[in-house]
Amino acid sequence: MGAAIGTLCADIASTGFLLSRLRQSRKKRNSESVLPLLQVPSVESAKRFLQYAAPIFFTILGKLVVYNGIALSVGRLGSVALAAHQVLLRSFFFWCPVGDSVGMTSQVFLPGILAKERRTGVPQRGAKRLLFSTGVGAGMVAAVLAWLLPSRGAGLFTADSAVASALRRTAPILGLSISMHAVALTCEGMLLAQRDLGFLSKSYIITTIATISLLLSPLRPGTLGGSWWILALFQASRSVQFSLRNIILTNRKYKQASATA
């Protein structure tokens, strides 16, 4: 209860601060050239917004469905597996921002690189490789740390020997999931920057349905490690799909540039 109230107060404070900063910045500008803060969007504006917002919705929804599906799968395995899963999942979300930050960096800087490509007609492969390499490197570092903490420091989370043993057994899968997540988020950010929204929507819908179908099928995992292997498979499938898609888009642009040269 206290944590929920603290989170609510923090959200209210941050929203109030951002609104005050926005109000100050608007006062510094010419009032005639600034649009109202609240305005009913036109149909055309709403369509453009939905074209970008709908794929983002499916990406977030897909992750939430899979994460909750994994939790439901583990919940059938007993209290020890569920306790270990809670520690592993908290650790997973703790290290997720490593990949998220590289993905957001891709969304911020890649549009400028793409604009330069359009002006010069020369694909900027070096910049894209740098972003991808950064995501891979950051993911590997985070994966090692994510693996070491529950495997070597299980006593920090629990005094129960059975839960600690489950943590040590599943820690390598946690590390693999973190590394694949970083690669997937890096490539996903690059696809968002290139406005490849249709592919992202279809990919998340198909991957999410396939993952949930596996969790509900007779082949569903019967152990904590098995459930986490499903999560690792979900992350790996995203990273492979998004990496290949970026390669295809880059090669397509390279061929188009060569044809027009």
Side-chain angles (χ1 to χ4, degrees):
M1 186 67 175
I5 294 175
T7 303
L8 175 62
C9 293
D11 289 340
I12 293 174
S14 61
T15 302
F17 173 77
L18 292 174
L19 288 174
S20 65
R21 293 292 299 176
L22 180 61
R23 182 180 179 184
Q24 292 175 8
S25 64
R26 289 167 63 84
K27 285 183 177 179
K28 295 179 181 179
R29 302 176 184 177
N30 183 2
S31 60
E32 296 181 356
S33 62
V34 178
L35 293 174
L37 182 61
L38 296 177
Q39 185 180 26
V40 178
S42 64
V43 176
E44 186 63 28
S45 298
K47 287 181 179 180
R48 288 200 303 269
F49 173 76
L50 289 175
Q51 287 176 354
Y52 190 80
I56 301 297
F57 169 78
F58 283 116
T59 62
I60 297 174
L61 179 63
K63 296 173 190 176
L64 291 176
V65 169
V66 170
Y67 295 153
N68 284 282
I70 297 293
L72 291 174
S73 175
V74 175
R76 298 194 298 263
L77 304 178
S79 59
V80 172
L82 188 58
H85 175 72
Q86 288 300 315
V87 175
L88 293 167
L89 192 62
R90 291 306 102 194
S91 299
F92 176 80
F93 287 138
F94 178 82
W95 294 108
C96 274
V98 174
D100 296 344
S101 61
V102 183
M104 288 186 286
T105 302
S106 300
Q107 295 181 54
V108 171
F109 289 101
L110 193 56
I113 298 172
L114 295 175
K116 184 178 180 180
E117 283 187 348
R118 288 191 292 268
R119 289 195 307 270
T120 62
V122 179
Q124 303 294 315
R125 292 191 173 189
K128 296 177 183 178
R129 289 196 188 104
L130 177 60
L131 288 171
F132 181 77
S133 301
T134 302
V136 173
M140 291 179 65
V141 173
V144 172
L145 295 175
W147 164 67
L148 284 175
L149 192 57
S151 62
R152 304 297 182 183
L156 297 173
F157 304 103
T158 179
D160 189 287
S161 60
V163 176
S165 178
L167 288 175
R168 286 190 287 268
R169 289 196 304 269
T170 318
I173 312 175
L174 168 64
L176 177 62
S177 298
I178 288 295
S179 64
M180 292 293 99
H181 173 81
V183 175
L185 263 291
T186 299
C187 295
E188 180 182 305
M190 297 170 69
L191 292 176
L192 287 171
Q194 298 174 86
R195 298 296 189 270
D196 196 14
L197 305 178
F199 173 81
L200 281 173
S201 297
K202 296 174 185 176
S203 172
Y204 265 101
I205 291 173
I206 294 173
T207 306
T208 300
I209 292 175
T211 304
I212 296 301
S213 299
L214 183 58
L215 288 172
L216 297 176
S217 71
L219 300 176
R220 63 179 178 268
T223 63
L224 175 65
S227 296
W228 271 82
W229 273 118
I230 298 296
L231 181 59
L233 178 63
F234 174 71
Q235 307 295 348
S237 64
R238 291 165 57 216
S239 64
V240 171
Q241 291 178 65
F242 300 162
S243 299
L244 291 176
R245 181 63 174 178
N246 274 291
I247 293 174
I248 292 173
L249 293 178
T250 300
N251 289 338
R252 183 182 301 171
K253 291 180 179 178
Y254 182 77
K255 291 179 180 179
Q256 291 176 351
S258 301
T260 57

